[in-house]
PDB file of all heavy atoms in Angstrom:
ATOM      1  N   GLY A  96      -7.129  12.515  15.612  1.00  0.00           N
ATOM      2  CA  GLY A  96      -8.248  11.800  15.011  1.00  0.00           C
ATOM      3  C   GLY A  96      -7.914  11.225  13.656  1.00  0.00           C
ATOM      4  O   GLY A  96      -6.803  10.765  13.405  1.00  0.00           O
ATOM      5  N   ASN A  97      -8.909  11.291  12.732  1.00  0.00           N
ATOM      6  CA  ASN A  97      -8.692  10.665  11.430  1.00  0.00           C
ATOM      7  C   ASN A  97      -7.730  11.451  10.543  1.00  0.00           C
ATOM      8  O   ASN A  97      -7.346  10.979   9.473  1.00  0.00           O
ATOM      9  CB  ASN A  97     -10.015  10.423  10.708  1.00  0.00           C
ATOM     10  CG  ASN A  97     -10.759  11.697  10.366  1.00  0.00           C
ATOM     11  OD1 ASN A  97     -10.226  12.790  10.491  1.00  0.00           O
ATOM     12  ND2 ASN A  97     -11.997  11.563   9.931  1.00  0.00           N
ATOM     13  N   ALA A  98      -7.305  12.647  10.985  1.00  0.00           N
ATOM     14  CA  ALA A  98      -6.273  13.377  10.226  1.00  0.00           C
ATOM     15  C   ALA A  98      -4.987  12.564  10.174  1.00  0.00           C
ATOM     16  O   ALA A  98      -4.205  12.680   9.222  1.00  0.00           O
ATOM     17  CB  ALA A  98      -6.019  14.733  10.860  1.00  0.00           C
ATOM     18  N   LEU A  99      -4.761  11.735  11.186  1.00  0.00           N
ATOM     19  CA  LEU A  99      -3.542  10.920  11.226  1.00  0.00           C
ATOM     20  C   LEU A  99      -3.598   9.749  10.243  1.00  0.00           C
ATOM     21  O   LEU A  99      -2.575   9.150   9.932  1.00  0.00           O
ATOM     22  CB  LEU A  99      -3.315  10.387  12.647  1.00  0.00           C
ATOM     23  CG  LEU A  99      -3.110  11.447  13.726  1.00  0.00           C
ATOM     24  CD1 LEU A  99      -2.894  10.780  15.084  1.00  0.00           C
ATOM     25  CD2 LEU A  99      -1.922  12.355  13.396  1.00  0.00           C
ATOM     26  N   TYR A 100      -4.809   9.403   9.758  1.00  0.00           N
ATOM     27  CA  TYR A 100      -4.917   8.323   8.770  1.00  0.00           C
ATOM     28  C   TYR A 100      -4.422   8.771   7.398  1.00  0.00           C
ATOM     29  O   TYR A 100      -4.120   7.942   6.545  1.00  0.00           O
ATOM     30  CB  TYR A 100      -6.362   7.867   8.579  1.00  0.00           C
ATOM     31  CG  TYR A 100      -7.139   7.490   9.806  1.00  0.00           C
ATOM     32  CD1 TYR A 100      -8.531   7.521   9.787  1.00  0.00           C
ATOM     33  CD2 TYR A 100      -6.511   7.073  10.971  1.00  0.00           C
ATOM     34  CE1 TYR A 100      -9.280   7.163  10.894  1.00  0.00           C
ATOM     35  CE2 TYR A 100      -7.247   6.718  12.082  1.00  0.00           C
ATOM     36  CZ  TYR A 100      -8.633   6.776  12.041  1.00  0.00           C
ATOM     37  OH  TYR A 100      -9.375   6.420  13.137  1.00  0.00           O
ATOM     38  N   GLN A 101      -4.396  10.076   7.169  1.00  0.00           N
ATOM     39  CA  GLN A 101      -4.251  10.586   5.810  1.00  0.00           C
ATOM     40  C   GLN A 101      -2.901  10.291   5.168  1.00  0.00           C
ATOM     41  O   GLN A 101      -2.769  10.354   3.949  1.00  0.00           O
ATOM     42  CB  GLN A 101      -4.520  12.094   5.798  1.00  0.00           C
ATOM     43  CG  GLN A 101      -5.953  12.444   6.152  1.00  0.00           C
ATOM     44  CD  GLN A 101      -6.178  13.944   6.252  1.00  0.00           C
ATOM     45  OE1 GLN A 101      -5.466  14.728   5.623  1.00  0.00           O
ATOM     46  NE2 GLN A 101      -7.150  14.355   7.035  1.00  0.00           N
ATOM     47  N   ARG A 102      -1.895   9.964   5.973  1.00  0.00           N
ATOM     48  CA  ARG A 102      -0.580   9.641   5.408  1.00  0.00           C
ATOM     49  C   ARG A 102      -0.274   8.150   5.508  1.00  0.00           C
ATOM     50  O   ARG A 102       0.828   7.710   5.150  1.00  0.00           O
ATOM     51  CB  ARG A 102       0.509  10.463   6.116  1.00  0.00           C
ATOM     52  CG  ARG A 102       0.271  11.967   6.059  1.00  0.00           C
ATOM     53  CD  ARG A 102       1.397  12.758   6.684  1.00  0.00           C
ATOM     54  NE  ARG A 102       2.537  12.836   5.803  1.00  0.00           N
ATOM     55  CZ  ARG A 102       2.702  13.746   4.843  1.00  0.00           C
ATOM     56  NH1 ARG A 102       1.768  14.653   4.646  1.00  0.00           N
ATOM     57  NH2 ARG A 102       3.771  13.754   4.083  1.00  0.00           N
ATOM     58  N   PHE A 103      -1.227   7.390   5.978  1.00  0.00           N
ATOM     59  CA  PHE A 103      -1.046   5.955   6.159  1.00  0.00           C
ATOM     60  C   PHE A 103      -0.648   5.264   4.856  1.00  0.00           C
ATOM     61  O   PHE A 103       0.180   4.352   4.849  1.00  0.00           O
ATOM     62  CB  PHE A 103      -2.343   5.346   6.700  1.00  0.00           C
ATOM     63  CG  PHE A 103      -2.330   3.849   6.863  1.00  0.00           C
ATOM     64  CD1 PHE A 103      -1.834   3.267   8.023  1.00  0.00           C
ATOM     65  CD2 PHE A 103      -2.821   3.020   5.862  1.00  0.00           C
ATOM     66  CE1 PHE A 103      -1.825   1.891   8.184  1.00  0.00           C
ATOM     67  CE2 PHE A 103      -2.819   1.630   6.016  1.00  0.00           C
ATOM     68  CZ  PHE A 103      -2.318   1.073   7.181  1.00  0.00           C
ATOM     69  N   HIS A 104      -1.237   5.703   3.741  1.00  0.00           N
ATOM     70  CA  HIS A 104      -1.020   4.981   2.484  1.00  0.00           C
ATOM     71  C   HIS A 104       0.361   5.232   1.876  1.00  0.00           C
ATOM     72  O   HIS A 104       0.783   4.488   0.994  1.00  0.00           O
ATOM     73  CB  HIS A 104      -2.104   5.328   1.463  1.00  0.00           C
ATOM     74  CG  HIS A 104      -2.166   6.763   1.066  1.00  0.00           C
ATOM     75  ND1 HIS A 104      -2.800   7.718   1.817  1.00  0.00           N
ATOM     76  CD2 HIS A 104      -1.658   7.416  -0.019  1.00  0.00           C
ATOM     77  CE1 HIS A 104      -2.715   8.883   1.216  1.00  0.00           C
ATOM     78  NE2 HIS A 104      -2.013   8.736   0.111  1.00  0.00           N
ATOM     79  N   HIS A 105       1.082   6.261   2.332  1.00  0.00           N
ATOM     80  CA  HIS A 105       2.377   6.567   1.724  1.00  0.00           C
ATOM     81  C   HIS A 105       3.369   5.407   1.876  1.00  0.00           C
ATOM     82  O   HIS A 105       4.044   5.036   0.919  1.00  0.00           O
ATOM     83  CB  HIS A 105       2.963   7.841   2.331  1.00  0.00           C
ATOM     84  CG  HIS A 105       2.284   9.080   1.848  1.00  0.00           C
ATOM     85  ND1 HIS A 105       2.940  10.086   1.168  1.00  0.00           N
ATOM     86  CD2 HIS A 105       0.997   9.479   1.931  1.00  0.00           C
ATOM     87  CE1 HIS A 105       2.089  11.046   0.854  1.00  0.00           C
ATOM     88  NE2 HIS A 105       0.891  10.700   1.322  1.00  0.00           N
ATOM     89  N   ALA A 106       3.477   4.851   3.070  1.00  0.00           N
ATOM     90  CA  ALA A 106       4.386   3.712   3.272  1.00  0.00           C
ATOM     91  C   ALA A 106       3.729   2.394   2.867  1.00  0.00           C
ATOM     92  O   ALA A 106       4.415   1.375   2.737  1.00  0.00           O
ATOM     93  CB  ALA A 106       4.830   3.645   4.734  1.00  0.00           C
ATOM     94  N   LEU A 107       2.422   2.411   2.650  1.00  0.00           N
ATOM     95  CA  LEU A 107       1.713   1.186   2.277  1.00  0.00           C
ATOM     96  C   LEU A 107       2.186   0.635   0.939  1.00  0.00           C
ATOM     97  O   LEU A 107       2.208  -0.579   0.727  1.00  0.00           O
ATOM     98  CB  LEU A 107       0.202   1.457   2.239  1.00  0.00           C
ATOM     99  CG  LEU A 107      -0.697   0.273   1.895  1.00  0.00           C
ATOM    100  CD1 LEU A 107      -0.571  -0.835   2.938  1.00  0.00           C
ATOM    101  CD2 LEU A 107      -2.152   0.734   1.790  1.00  0.00           C
ATOM    102  N   GLY A 108       2.579   1.537   0.023  1.00  0.00           N
ATOM    103  CA  GLY A 108       3.086   1.070  -1.267  1.00  0.00           C
ATOM    104  C   GLY A 108       4.302   0.185  -1.108  1.00  0.00           C
ATOM    105  O   GLY A 108       4.459  -0.815  -1.815  1.00  0.00           O
ATOM    106  N   ALA A 109       5.178   0.535  -0.176  1.00  0.00           N
ATOM    107  CA  ALA A 109       6.358  -0.303   0.088  1.00  0.00           C
ATOM    108  C   ALA A 109       5.936  -1.641   0.689  1.00  0.00           C
ATOM    109  O   ALA A 109       6.473  -2.693   0.325  1.00  0.00           O
ATOM    110  CB  ALA A 109       7.305   0.428   1.036  1.00  0.00           C
ATOM    111  N   VAL A 110       4.979  -1.600   1.605  1.00  0.00           N
ATOM    112  CA  VAL A 110       4.491  -2.832   2.248  1.00  0.00           C
ATOM    113  C   VAL A 110       3.917  -3.787   1.199  1.00  0.00           C
ATOM    114  O   VAL A 110       4.151  -4.996   1.255  1.00  0.00           O
ATOM    115  CB  VAL A 110       3.430  -2.489   3.320  1.00  0.00           C
ATOM    116  CG1 VAL A 110       2.832  -3.767   3.913  1.00  0.00           C
ATOM    117  CG2 VAL A 110       4.047  -1.636   4.423  1.00  0.00           C
ATOM    118  N   LYS A 111       3.196  -3.262   0.228  1.00  0.00           N
ATOM    119  CA  LYS A 111       2.631  -4.103  -0.826  1.00  0.00           C
ATOM    120  C   LYS A 111       3.726  -4.735  -1.681  1.00  0.00           C
ATOM    121  O   LYS A 111       3.500  -5.746  -2.347  1.00  0.00           O
ATOM    122  CB  LYS A 111       1.671  -3.293  -1.705  1.00  0.00           C
ATOM    123  CG  LYS A 111       0.318  -3.028  -1.037  1.00  0.00           C
ATOM    124  CD  LYS A 111      -0.566  -2.164  -1.910  1.00  0.00           C
ATOM    125  CE  LYS A 111      -1.950  -1.986  -1.290  1.00  0.00           C
ATOM    126  NZ  LYS A 111      -2.856  -3.093  -1.567  1.00  0.00           N
ATOM    127  N   ASN A 112       4.932  -4.155  -1.657  1.00  0.00           N
ATOM    128  CA  ASN A 112       6.082  -4.696  -2.387  1.00  0.00           C
ATOM    129  C   ASN A 112       6.897  -5.688  -1.555  1.00  0.00           C
ATOM    130  O   ASN A 112       7.939  -6.144  -1.995  1.00  0.00           O
ATOM    131  CB  ASN A 112       6.995  -3.549  -2.824  1.00  0.00           C
ATOM    132  CG  ASN A 112       6.581  -2.934  -4.139  1.00  0.00           C
ATOM    133  OD1 ASN A 112       6.864  -3.463  -5.207  1.00  0.00           O
ATOM    134  ND2 ASN A 112       5.869  -1.814  -4.081  1.00  0.00           N
ATOM    135  N   GLY A 113       6.454  -5.963  -0.331  1.00  0.00           N
ATOM    136  CA  GLY A 113       7.196  -6.885   0.506  1.00  0.00           C
ATOM    137  C   GLY A 113       8.246  -6.227   1.369  1.00  0.00           C
ATOM    138  O   GLY A 113       9.048  -6.900   2.026  1.00  0.00           O
ATOM    139  N   VAL A 114       8.258  -4.894   1.384  1.00  0.00           N
ATOM    140  CA  VAL A 114       9.218  -4.122   2.174  1.00  0.00           C
ATOM    141  C   VAL A 114       8.588  -3.792   3.531  1.00  0.00           C
ATOM    142  O   VAL A 114       7.367  -3.673   3.645  1.00  0.00           O
ATOM    143  CB  VAL A 114       9.588  -2.820   1.425  1.00  0.00           C
ATOM    144  CG1 VAL A 114      10.549  -1.959   2.240  1.00  0.00           C
ATOM    145  CG2 VAL A 114      10.169  -3.148   0.055  1.00  0.00           C
ATOM    146  N   VAL A 115       9.389  -3.639   4.559  1.00  0.00           N
ATOM    147  CA  VAL A 115       8.871  -3.180   5.849  1.00  0.00           C
ATOM    148  C   VAL A 115       8.572  -1.688   5.740  1.00  0.00           C
ATOM    149  O   VAL A 115       9.437  -0.896   5.371  1.00  0.00           O
ATOM    150  CB  VAL A 115       9.879  -3.429   6.987  1.00  0.00           C
ATOM    151  CG1 VAL A 115       9.406  -2.760   8.279  1.00  0.00           C
ATOM    152  CG2 VAL A 115      10.065  -4.925   7.215  1.00  0.00           C
ATOM    153  N   GLY A 116       7.336  -1.313   6.039  1.00  0.00           N
ATOM    154  CA  GLY A 116       6.940   0.085   6.035  1.00  0.00           C
ATOM    155  C   GLY A 116       6.835   0.594   7.462  1.00  0.00           C
ATOM    156  O   GLY A 116       6.415  -0.131   8.358  1.00  0.00           O
ATOM    157  N   VAL A 117       7.226   1.843   7.681  1.00  0.00           N
ATOM    158  CA  VAL A 117       7.136   2.463   9.000  1.00  0.00           C
ATOM    159  C   VAL A 117       6.426   3.805   8.866  1.00  0.00           C
ATOM    160  O   VAL A 117       6.818   4.640   8.041  1.00  0.00           O
ATOM    161  CB  VAL A 117       8.530   2.678   9.632  1.00  0.00           C
ATOM    162  CG1 VAL A 117       8.405   3.469  10.929  1.00  0.00           C
ATOM    163  CG2 VAL A 117       9.216   1.342   9.894  1.00  0.00           C
ATOM    164  N   TYR A 118       5.385   3.988   9.659  1.00  0.00           N
ATOM    165  CA  TYR A 118       4.736   5.295   9.776  1.00  0.00           C
ATOM    166  C   TYR A 118       5.199   5.849  11.111  1.00  0.00           C
ATOM    167  O   TYR A 118       4.820   5.366  12.173  1.00  0.00           O
ATOM    168  CB  TYR A 118       3.223   5.112   9.726  1.00  0.00           C
ATOM    169  CG  TYR A 118       2.411   6.407   9.725  1.00  0.00           C
ATOM    170  CD1 TYR A 118       3.002   7.654   9.528  1.00  0.00           C
ATOM    171  CD2 TYR A 118       1.039   6.363   9.907  1.00  0.00           C
ATOM    172  CE1 TYR A 118       2.260   8.816   9.515  1.00  0.00           C
ATOM    173  CE2 TYR A 118       0.270   7.527   9.901  1.00  0.00           C
ATOM    174  CZ  TYR A 118       0.876   8.742   9.703  1.00  0.00           C
ATOM    175  OH  TYR A 118       0.123   9.892   9.711  1.00  0.00           O
ATOM    176  N   TYR A 119       6.075   6.868  11.027  1.00  0.00           N
ATOM    177  CA  TYR A 119       6.699   7.450  12.214  1.00  0.00           C
ATOM    178  C   TYR A 119       5.999   8.749  12.582  1.00  0.00           C
ATOM    179  O   TYR A 119       5.979   9.707  11.803  1.00  0.00           O
ATOM    180  CB  TYR A 119       8.185   7.693  11.952  1.00  0.00           C
ATOM    181  CG  TYR A 119       8.860   8.549  12.999  1.00  0.00           C
ATOM    182  CD1 TYR A 119       8.929   8.131  14.326  1.00  0.00           C
ATOM    183  CD2 TYR A 119       9.429   9.777  12.668  1.00  0.00           C
ATOM    184  CE1 TYR A 119       9.542   8.911  15.299  1.00  0.00           C
ATOM    185  CE2 TYR A 119      10.049  10.569  13.620  1.00  0.00           C
ATOM    186  CZ  TYR A 119      10.093  10.131  14.939  1.00  0.00           C
ATOM    187  OH  TYR A 119      10.689  10.913  15.892  1.00  0.00           O
ATOM    188  N   LEU A 120       5.409   8.784  13.777  1.00  0.00           N
ATOM    189  CA  LEU A 120       4.752   9.983  14.278  1.00  0.00           C
ATOM    190  C   LEU A 120       5.571  10.520  15.443  1.00  0.00           C
ATOM    191  O   LEU A 120       5.586   9.933  16.534  1.00  0.00           O
ATOM    192  CB  LEU A 120       3.316   9.668  14.727  1.00  0.00           C
ATOM    193  CG  LEU A 120       2.401   9.142  13.605  1.00  0.00           C
ATOM    194  CD1 LEU A 120       2.285   7.621  13.686  1.00  0.00           C
ATOM    195  CD2 LEU A 120       1.027   9.770  13.662  1.00  0.00           C
ATOM    196  N   LYS A 121       6.298  11.591  15.182  1.00  0.00           N
ATOM    197  CA  LYS A 121       7.183  12.168  16.201  1.00  0.00           C
ATOM    198  C   LYS A 121       6.377  12.504  17.462  1.00  0.00           C
ATOM    199  O   LYS A 121       5.287  13.054  17.392  1.00  0.00           O
ATOM    200  CB  LYS A 121       7.843  13.435  15.648  1.00  0.00           C
ATOM    201  CG  LYS A 121       8.796  14.144  16.608  1.00  0.00           C
ATOM    202  CD  LYS A 121       9.416  15.353  15.918  1.00  0.00           C
ATOM    203  CE  LYS A 121      10.199  16.215  16.903  1.00  0.00           C
ATOM    204  NZ  LYS A 121      11.339  15.487  17.487  1.00  0.00           N
ATOM    205  N   LYS A 122       6.942  12.137  18.620  1.00  0.00           N
ATOM    206  CA  LYS A 122       6.252  12.387  19.888  1.00  0.00           C
ATOM    207  C   LYS A 122       5.882  13.862  20.024  1.00  0.00           C
ATOM    208  O   LYS A 122       6.635  14.747  19.662  1.00  0.00           O
ATOM    209  CB  LYS A 122       7.144  11.972  21.057  1.00  0.00           C
ATOM    210  CG  LYS A 122       7.309  10.467  21.201  1.00  0.00           C
ATOM    211  CD  LYS A 122       8.246  10.120  22.336  1.00  0.00           C
ATOM    212  CE  LYS A 122       8.441   8.606  22.419  1.00  0.00           C
ATOM    213  NZ  LYS A 122       9.439   8.227  23.443  1.00  0.00           N
ATOM    214  N   GLY A 123       4.677  14.078  20.577  1.00  0.00           N
ATOM    215  CA  GLY A 123       4.204  15.444  20.727  1.00  0.00           C
ATOM    216  C   GLY A 123       3.164  15.563  21.816  1.00  0.00           C
ATOM    217  O   GLY A 123       3.037  14.687  22.686  1.00  0.00           O
ATOM    218  N   ARG A 124       2.395  16.624  21.760  1.00  0.00           N
ATOM    219  CA  ARG A 124       1.386  16.882  22.784  1.00  0.00           C
ATOM    220  C   ARG A 124       0.226  15.900  22.710  1.00  0.00           C
ATOM    221  O   ARG A 124      -0.446  15.635  23.694  1.00  0.00           O
ATOM    222  CB  ARG A 124       0.857  18.311  22.640  1.00  0.00           C
ATOM    223  CG  ARG A 124       1.908  19.390  22.918  1.00  0.00           C
ATOM    224  CD  ARG A 124       1.332  20.776  22.814  1.00  0.00           C
ATOM    225  NE  ARG A 124       0.906  21.081  21.456  1.00  0.00           N
ATOM    226  CZ  ARG A 124       1.707  21.587  20.521  1.00  0.00           C
ATOM    227  NH1 ARG A 124       2.993  21.806  20.796  1.00  0.00           N
ATOM    228  NH2 ARG A 124       1.252  21.873  19.322  1.00  0.00           N
ATOM    229  N   GLN A 125      -0.019  15.371  21.522  1.00  0.00           N
ATOM    230  CA  GLN A 125      -1.098  14.408  21.337  1.00  0.00           C
ATOM    231  C   GLN A 125      -0.544  12.989  21.228  1.00  0.00           C
ATOM    232  O   GLN A 125       0.666  12.788  21.081  1.00  0.00           O
ATOM    233  CB  GLN A 125      -1.902  14.765  20.085  1.00  0.00           C
ATOM    234  CG  GLN A 125      -2.622  16.105  20.202  1.00  0.00           C
ATOM    235  CD  GLN A 125      -3.307  16.480  18.903  1.00  0.00           C
ATOM    236  OE1 GLN A 125      -2.664  16.908  17.953  1.00  0.00           O
ATOM    237  NE2 GLN A 125      -4.618  16.308  18.873  1.00  0.00           N
ATOM    238  N   ARG A 126      -1.456  12.024  21.298  1.00  0.00           N
ATOM    239  CA  ARG A 126      -1.042  10.623  21.205  1.00  0.00           C
ATOM    240  C   ARG A 126      -1.420  10.038  19.850  1.00  0.00           C
ATOM    241  O   ARG A 126      -2.310  10.547  19.168  1.00  0.00           O
ATOM    242  CB  ARG A 126      -1.702   9.806  22.322  1.00  0.00           C
ATOM    243  CG  ARG A 126      -1.225  10.212  23.711  1.00  0.00           C
ATOM    244  CD  ARG A 126      -1.799   9.304  24.772  1.00  0.00           C
ATOM    245  NE  ARG A 126      -1.315   9.660  26.105  1.00  0.00           N
ATOM    246  CZ  ARG A 126      -1.634   9.003  27.207  1.00  0.00           C
ATOM    247  NH1 ARG A 126      -2.452   7.956  27.155  1.00  0.00           N
ATOM    248  NH2 ARG A 126      -1.141   9.389  28.371  1.00  0.00           N
ATOM    249  N   ILE A 127      -0.757   8.956  19.497  1.00  0.00           N
ATOM    250  CA  ILE A 127      -1.060   8.278  18.242  1.00  0.00           C
ATOM    251  C   ILE A 127      -2.487   7.722  18.308  1.00  0.00           C
ATOM    252  O   ILE A 127      -2.875   7.112  19.307  1.00  0.00           O
ATOM    253  CB  ILE A 127      -0.061   7.136  17.977  1.00  0.00           C
ATOM    254  CG1 ILE A 127       1.360   7.704  17.803  1.00  0.00           C
ATOM    255  CG2 ILE A 127      -0.455   6.348  16.733  1.00  0.00           C
ATOM    256  CD1 ILE A 127       2.424   6.634  17.646  1.00  0.00           C
TER     257      ILE A 127
END
Side-chain angles (χ1 to χ4, degrees):
N97 64 10
L99 298 180
Y100 307 158
Q101 295 175 26
R102 304 184 77 86
F103 177 86
H104 62 278
H105 285 240
L107 181 62
V110 175
K111 284 177 176 277
N112 274 280
V114 178
V115 172
V117 173
Y118 185 12
Y119 168 62
L120 299 100
K121 180 178 171 63
K122 289 178 182 175
R124 295 182 295 273
Q125 295 175 284
R126 294 185 178 182
I127 296 175

